[in-house]
Amino acid sequence: SQQGEEDPQALSIQEGENATMNCSYKTSINNLQWYRQNSGRGLVHLILIRSNEREKHSGRLRVTLDTSKKSSSLLITASRAADTASYFCATAGYSTLTFGKGTMLLVSP
Amino acid sequence: GAVVSQHPSRVICKSGTSVKIECRSLDFQATTMFWYRQFPKKSLMLMATSNEGSKATYEQGVEKDKFLINHASLTLSTLTVTSAHPEDSSFYICSAKPGTGRETQYFGPGTRLLVL
């Protein structure tokens, strides 16, 4: 299985702090994606990093990928209360996505 | 960006009835659509992959006679939960992409099913 495993399962921080979530996977991938899900809602695609990339930025998001360690991290800088959500990594094989268990992030005002 | 819709967003039904959920790609032709299931505070589990005009490919452990998938056009896939039972209560999410390879999947907003 190439299911991603997020770490930590839950994270609680104050507004303005940075939040870091990690994801590990088991097999080779084409790319790794991060998604956000607000409670009871659909998924929002945040960022995609390809297997030949090591780091990618998008606004307050920074994603790293270490294929030798089969791991990725998502950093949210200067967090806001509106960032409160569950965050999932998903590894992409040729055609399908496999989701990790997710990290629940709570940002308190 | 590409938009995928689902209908209904919520459904409550009695045990033993069948429920149909629609997934539509609104601004692109979806060669491939996926159906996921998500239990509360859990991850998404892929149920099946459907390609337009052909039979769906089900993941291990998913009953194809229980969860009927039809991908009759390039913009519509349906998931029918037959003879629903309370354990089928879940959040069902579809996604779609324009090809069969490495294209980005676009996710629908999900359908909350509650079986009484």
Side-chain angles (χ1 to χ4, degrees), chain A residues 25-102:
Chain A
Y25 57 93
K26 296 179 181 177
T27 62
S28 61
I29 60 173
N30 288 307
N31 63 68
L32 186 143
Q33 303 173 35
W34 285 90
Y35 289 83
R36 164 192 167 136
Q37 184 181 38
N38 287 79
S39 180
R41 308 294 288 274
L43 292 175
V44 175
H45 183 263
L46 295 176
I47 196 165
L48 179 154
I49 186 165
R50 301 188 189 285
S51 59
N52 60 352
E53 297 176 310
R54 292 296 167 259
E55 187 172 313
K56 205 161 183 179
H57 296 254
S58 177
R60 294 185 294 114
L61 305 180
R62 173 177 171 257
V63 169
T64 63
L65 179 65
D66 187 336
T67 52
S68 66
K69 295 181 180 179
K70 291 186 168 58
S71 67
S72 173
S73 68
L74 170 67
L75 169 67
I76 304 174
T77 60
S79 64
R80 306 166 182 168
D83 294 329
T84 295
S86 290
Y87 292 82
F88 295 92
C89 70
T91 52
Y94 180 72
S95 179
T96 60
L97 289 177
T98 303
F99 284 84
K101 295 179 181 178

Side-chain angles (χ1 to χ4, degrees), chain A residues 3 30-31 33 35 37 39-45 48 50 88 93-102 104, chain B residues 32 34 36 38 41-46 49 59 91 93 97 99-105 107-110 112:
Chain A
Q3 182 177 22
N30 288 307
N31 63 68
Q33 303 173 35
Y35 289 83
Q37 184 181 38
S39 180
R41 308 294 288 274
L43 292 175
V44 175
H45 183 263
L48 179 154
R50 301 188 189 285
F88 295 92
Y94 180 72
S95 179
T96 60
L97 289 177
T98 303
F99 284 84
K101 295 179 181 178
M104 293 180 63
Chain B
T32 308
F34 303 88
Y36 296 84
Q38 185 181 30
K41 299 185 179 180
K42 298 291 185 183
S43 184
L44 281 75
M45 300 299 296
L46 179 64
T49 303
E59 295 299 305
F91 194 53
I93 303 175
K97 62 179 183 177
T100 59
R102 303 175 183 177
E103 305 85 356
T104 299
Q105 292 183 29
F107 284 82
R112 174 81 56 195

